[in-house]
Amino acid sequence: MIDQSTVARIFDSAEITEVVSDFVTLKKRGVNFLGLCPFHNEKSPSFTVSPAKGIYKCFGCGKGGNSVNFIMEHEHLDYVGALKYLAKKYHIEVVEKELSPEQERQKNDRESMMIVNSFAQKSFTQNLYEHAQGMAIGMGYMRERGFRDDIIKKFQVGYCLEAWDAFSNHALDCGYKKEYLVKTGLSIEKENRLLDRFRGRVIFPIHGIAGRVQAFGGRILKNDAKAAKYLNSPESEVYHKSRILYGIFQAKKSIVQNEKCFLVEGYTDVLSFHQAGIENVVASSGTALTADQIRLIKRFTNNITIIYDGDAAGIKASLRGIDLVLEQEVNVKVLLLPQGEDPDSFSRTMGASELMEYIEKNESDFIVFKTNLLLKDAKDDPVKRANLIIDIVRSIAIIPDGIVRAVYVRECSNILNVDERVLYTEINKIIHRVKEDSWKNEQRSNLPEDQTTDKLSENSAFLRSANECDLEERALIRILLNFGSEILYSQKDEAGNEEQLLVGQYIITELSNDELESVNPLYQLVFDQYGENMEKEAFNTKTFFRDLPNEKVNQLAADILSEPHQLSGLWTRNESVVESEEMKLKEIVPKLVNEYKGKKVRLLMKEVMQEMQKAQDTGNADRMMELMKQKMVLDQIKNAISKELGNRTIS
């Protein structure tokens, strides 16, 4: 862990314009700088850098944040990696915080395992090029498959000798500990003896996103009915198969450049595509597609084309997994290769341009592909058709974007010959159930603080649309970030001392006194952090959330700080208008807080009325009396807020 004082020095030194200028040509435009966004292709610049606020924001693709966020996004590094990158740029010595004995042990274990993996990769690769058995069998296999030397070296392919313990003994002789050979899965301990897991196999190292070897896949070369054709390293502290994709390190640059990722199944599929000149390709390595793998691809692109061979049974088995892709707001297409072909064999029949042309011509949207595929099975069977419609509706309902959903509904309505209204009815039922379940699960108190935004901000568009107070809460956060340290009221106490109430103190106190919480955990995290830190002398409202080590909060802060300070839409009712935040804070802040309280009261009133209807329907008189008392209290609160708002009616 990097010492907090070092982190502070890095943030202080990393001037946003200097950092971005290393990668983007910027031109001064007023108080800001403008350039072409490095994260998506654009002809007219929409990428803005604000030196005063210390943020960047692209109004084309929506990306934004601070200097660290920019390096994380551009260089595809994690938070610590980005900090170290900037520390090196500004010649800052990185002082790492002392770890607990348990943390130190885990760190050392992970590093030792990575070192052992690196040694194994070099040893296996050396076998392929220098050992007689490796050259004859391992390299013979690669030559038979038609792979060039540059591709073999690019992916560091190797060979494990056909002997029970050749590698394990070599590693022990070189000073590597038995403990880490076993933990990585390179060796299997049996009767006080180490045996090689991958003996007699061609080895495909599995690299992490930073290029370090995390695991291995081995392909057997002899006919053995009892042995698996492919064998992977077991799960370990450095390898989680559900979180990694084969070839991601070699593909990430090309994925960004081409704004698309091709997803295939096996190691040799990836190698063959690279040999054909297409590098933006990764493999799931035979495992079912997971949400973590999709999010890994999303770091580089929102466009995925999944390539299948002609095995219809295999495709159907994987359809449900692809629903995960839709849920992650990714544009997913499917390419079905001709019968008898797989990505490896098919890519060998043509060059890069010819292969790309074929893909673009034959790939289709996943929903349409799935509908047509299942429709062939259903034929005229009414029960199968009904199940098909339910299956398709579930997939469409997962898509968060309403416009995209509408397009698919129209297409599927035409294909299935089903009225759009019928599809919408079923979709809305599913969405309603999902919202109800999410609402219950999104209670912040049930989650550790470090998981709050990770678990519940993955789909921010859904959270915003599900939050009926989003407009007011976002406006409150905007005022906190821009004007939180401004003086709202100033008065003298009984002793004649002047007391000042800051804008941020007023807002947080009002929310706390009335126990008002946002259903959006990201917003609530901002309110909580503000409340915890607002009394500290060094607390700076404009930089605290921008520099907080939380990417979701950084993005929210960048978005809000980039928005114009205009809230007139909140006040244009009954000729009561507040034009902008530039007017007196004494007027705008209490009005906004009371608007928010009024909205919350209206929602509570709606819930009470619904409960009263249920009590009336069931004849529960005691419950009805209890609810009527609640309604009277809410009416009193509503009238008080209405008076505060200048007798404006709260509907």
Side-chain angles (χ1 to χ4, degrees), residues 78-206:
D78 60 13
Y79 180 72
V80 174
L83 286 173
K84 289 181 177 179
Y85 176 99
L86 290 170
K88 185 176 181 181
K89 173 178 171 64
Y90 288 97
H91 308 292
I92 296 171
E93 182 183 358
V94 173
V95 179
E96 302 221 11
K97 186 177 178 181
E98 187 174 344
L99 302 177
S100 68
E102 178 61 20
Q103 288 174 324
E104 188 68 38
R105 185 194 65 77
Q106 289 179 349
K107 180 186 175 185
N108 290 339
D109 276 359
R110 285 194 295 269
E111 186 59 31
S112 296
M113 290 168 72
M114 297 294 271
I115 291 170
V116 167
N117 278 342
S118 177
F119 165 78
Q121 176 270 306
K122 291 182 176 67
S123 177
F124 294 146
T125 300
Q126 187 176 17
N127 287 342
L128 191 72
Y129 283 94
E130 298 179 12
H131 194 283
Q133 186 186 131
M135 290 188 289
I137 301 174
M139 186 62 81
Y141 169 78
M142 297 303 289
R143 293 279 185 252
E144 184 183 327
R145 297 295 298 266
F147 290 114
R148 301 192 306 261
D149 272 350
D150 61 309
I151 299 299
I152 296 171
K153 289 177 180 177
K154 183 177 186 178
F155 288 87
Q156 298 179 335
V157 179
Y159 178 75
C160 185
L161 300 178
E162 178 64 61
W164 285 105
D165 53 9
F167 167 75
S168 298
N169 288 338
H170 176 51
L172 292 172
D173 289 343
C174 290
Y176 294 94
K177 292 183 179 179
K178 178 177 77 172
E179 174 189 359
Y180 299 117
L181 291 170
V182 173
K183 280 187 174 182
T184 55
L186 286 160
S187 302
I188 301 169
E189 189 171 16
K190 193 171 183 180
E191 298 176 355
N192 294 323
R193 179 186 176 190
L194 290 187
L195 305 178
D196 295 350
R197 177 180 297 272
F198 296 108
R199 65 188 186 88
R201 293 176 182 265
V202 168
I203 304 297
F204 298 91
I206 300 170

Side-chain angles (χ1 to χ4, degrees), residues 22 124 199 289 294 309 437 476 487 493 551 595 602 646:
D22 287 346
F124 294 146
R199 65 188 186 88
L289 198 58
I294 296 160
D309 58 31
D437 292 342
L476 285 171
I487 298 172
D493 60 16
E551 191 176 351
E595 282 279 353
R602 181 175 66 78

Side-chain angles (χ1 to χ4, degrees), residues 444 449 452-453 457 472-482 484 504-505 507-509 511 516-534 539-548 550-561:
R444 295 184 63 262
E449 184 174 307
T452 301
T453 52
S457 295
E472 290 79 9
E473 290 173 355
R474 198 171 178 87
L476 285 171
I477 293 174
R478 185 185 297 121
I479 288 180
L480 285 176
L481 265 58
N482 284 291
Q505 292 172 332
I507 291 175
I508 298 300
T509 301
L511 299 187
L516 298 176
E517 288 202 358
S518 173
V519 297
N520 186 328
L522 185 58
Y523 292 175
Q524 190 57 43
L525 181 62
V526 172
F527 291 136
D528 289 344
Q529 287 289 317
Y530 200 104
E532 291 174 16
N533 291 277
M534 64 183 182
F539 183 57
N540 185 327
T541 59
K542 291 184 183 296
T543 61
F544 179 81
F545 295 101
R546 184 199 71 192
D547 298 343
L548 201 68
N550 184 312
E551 191 176 351
K552 295 290 183 183
V553 174
N554 301 154
Q555 177 73 56
L556 177 65
D559 287 347
I560 287 177
L561 289 170

Side-chain angles (χ1 to χ4, degrees), residues 50 65 85 162 188 331 355 379 382 403 418 423 522 589 596 629:
S50 171
Y85 176 99
E162 178 64 61
I188 301 169
N331 306 316
L355 183 56
K379 296 180 182 177
I403 295 175
V418 176
L423 297 178
L522 185 58
V589 174
Y596 179 47
K629 289 178 182 178

